[in-house]
Amino acid sequence: MKQCQQLAITQFGEPSVLAMQTAEVPQPAVNQVLVKVAYAGVNPIDAKTRAGLGWAAQQNKDNLPWVPGYDIAGEVAALGAGVHSLSVGDTVSGFVGFPLQGGGYSEYVVADANALSLVTEAVPLIEAAALPLAGQTAWQALEKVQVSAGERVLILAGAGGVGHIAIQLAVAKGAEVMATCSSANMAFITSLGGTAIDYCQAPLAEQVDRVDVLIDLMGGDVGIAALDCVKSGGRVVTLPTITADVVCEHARLLGLQAEGMLVSPSVEQNNAMMVMLEAGTLQLHIAARYPLSEGALAHQKIETGRTRGKVVLSVASSE
Ligand SMILES: NC(=O)c1ccc[n+]([C@@H]2O[C@H](COP(=O)([O-])OP(=O)(O)OC[C@H]3O[C@@H](n4cnc5c(N)ncnc54)[C@H](OP(=O)(O)O)[C@@H]3O)[C@@H](O)[C@H]2O)c1
């Protein structure tokens, strides 16, 4: 059997628990394809799971070593029975194995053919790998609070993986978008069409006139403090799942409509954003790329909480 390299969580803990392992290249089942992965996106959930936090860690605690990674882009290497929509050699991207299977930090992965988007030559493969989870989260967060043209929207952590996409999608809907960031990211937020709010300057409520919608990508005390920026009856979606209940509780006490959410893979949304990338109406910022074997550095980077845009692993170059 052909073998491949993967980066696995060997036990829960610091980034150093990530280690390369050898596995058999999987066979695609009916309606699946085998993808030779070129790039794998890195998301905060990967690092939280590695640290033993959250439901993906709970569900996989007896299943270590476990290969994380939900975002992939690469080339179709083999077709399972019944696959007619893709051909060997097609370049594809997708949000795969979510939430319990993971598997993207690997030279080869199998995925349902209908979960993958075709990547055209106009879209850099690295961007196609960075897009899925963060892009679909941004898309679904805006849908959850039904952002519409002319509304005032405040996005916390606008410079991050989800935030920098959410700003652009909200602007495209015709919303007036404000986004919080540090001073180093003010120009970045402006370049995406948002108004940058430096969270170090003063409390947000002193800097922002009341908004219709809050998209909270920070949660906890930062998310709770930002509720003071929302007008009575306004809508809030809070993304960090660990603090969603407490943020929603505070929001309701203030007369706001608030919900948490869990992203759900949608190939239609991925396709739509791939078209935007191709047309240049969506920009994806890659903060850093690391070889698969140096995934621990990628986790250290994402755990700083200061990433601008996305962190990606170069998988093919590890061969
Ligand atoms: N529920 C779901 O389905 C779901 C899905 C995806 C993500 N999430 C969660 O959503 C959160 C955001 O994800 P992400 O991928 O966008 O994270 P990320 O890329 O790691 O976010 C990093 C950004 O956070 C900003 N930041 C740090 N402290 C800040 C503060 N006090 N105020 C404003 N911005 C601050 C940083 O900007 P500066 O350097 O300028 O401070 C940096 O650009 C994470 O907790 C993630 O786990 C949830």
Side-chain angles (χ1 to χ4, degrees):
M1 289 292 269
K2 196 175 168 193
Q3 299 205 303
C4 67
Q5 295 296 302
Q6 307 179 321
L7 187 68
I9 298 169
T10 54
Q11 58 182 305
F12 294 139
E14 296 299 313
S16 58
V17 302
L18 291 167
M20 295 298 286
Q21 66 178 24
T22 302
E24 284 182 3
V25 172
Q27 299 287 318
V30 176
N31 296 328
Q32 288 187 326
V33 299
L34 176 68
V35 180
K36 184 174 190 297
V37 179
Y39 298 101
V42 177
N43 291 288
I45 187 175
D46 303 348
K48 289 177 191 173
T49 304
R50 188 218 69 232
L53 303 173
W55 38 267
Q58 276 308 305
Q59 295 294 321
N60 281 297
K61 66 181 187 311
D62 299 322
N63 194 23
L64 302 179
W66 183 77
V67 178
Y70 301 114
D71 283 336
I72 56 125
E75 189 176 302
V76 174
L79 307 178
V83 176
H84 305 292
S85 56
L86 293 171
S87 304
V88 170
D90 283 347
T91 47
V92 292
S93 83
F95 180 5
V96 301
F98 189 78
L100 298 180
Q101 195 179 329
Y105 291 12
S106 178
E107 288 175 337
Y108 286 91
V109 70
V110 289
D112 291 342
N114 64 10
L116 298 171
S117 302
L118 274 171
V119 183
T120 64
E121 278 184 11
V123 177
L125 210 44
I126 191 169
E127 294 184 16
L131 173 69
L133 192 153
Q136 288 164 57
T137 303
W139 185 295
Q140 290 166 32
L142 296 188
E143 275 189 343
K144 191 93 176 169
V145 282
Q146 298 180 333
V147 170
S148 57
E151 288 195 306
R152 290 168 50 75
V153 176
L154 175 62
I155 299 174
L156 305 185
V162 178
H164 87 296
I165 301 173
I167 291 172
Q168 297 173 76
L169 296 180
V171 168
K173 283 179 179 285
E176 183 189 339
V177 180
M178 283 135 284
T180 61
C181 62
S182 61
S183 58
N185 280 320
M186 304 267 295
F188 178 57
I189 299 288
T190 307
S191 76
L192 302 172
T195 299
I197 310 290
D198 181 348
Y199 59 79
C200 297
Q201 284 299 314
L204 297 184
E206 291 176 16
Q207 300 191 67
V208 179
D209 287 336
R210 297 282 171 130
V211 297
D212 301 290
V213 167
L214 172 66
I215 298 184
D216 170 21
L217 299 172
M218 289 301 301
D221 290 344
V222 175
I224 290 168
L227 298 172
D228 288 336
C229 301
V230 186
K231 71 183 189 190
S232 180
R235 288 110 62 204
V236 177
V237 61
T238 180
L239 275 291
T241 49
I242 293 168
T243 59
D245 285 349
V246 66
V247 173
C248 289
E249 201 176 307
H250 277 80
R252 288 182 199 120
L253 289 173
L254 293 170
L256 309 176
Q257 305 170 48
E259 289 180 272
M261 68 162 247
L262 183 62
V263 64
S264 172
S266 162
V267 73
E268 292 79 14
Q269 291 167 11
N270 207 50
N271 287 340
M273 285 182 279
M274 294 290 286
V275 169
M276 293 175 76
L277 279 182
E278 192 172 346
T281 54
L282 178 67
Q283 313 289 330
L284 249 167
H285 183 82
I286 308 295
R289 72 172 87 176
Y290 300 88
L292 181 64
S293 58
E294 291 179 15
L297 294 178
H299 276 217
Q300 282 171 12
K301 173 90 175 163
I302 202 106
E303 284 181 322
T304 64
R306 307 303 300 276
T307 308
R308 177 188 292 174
K310 293 291 303 175
V311 174
V312 177
L313 297 172
S314 295
V315 180
S317 63
S318 69
E319 287 181 337

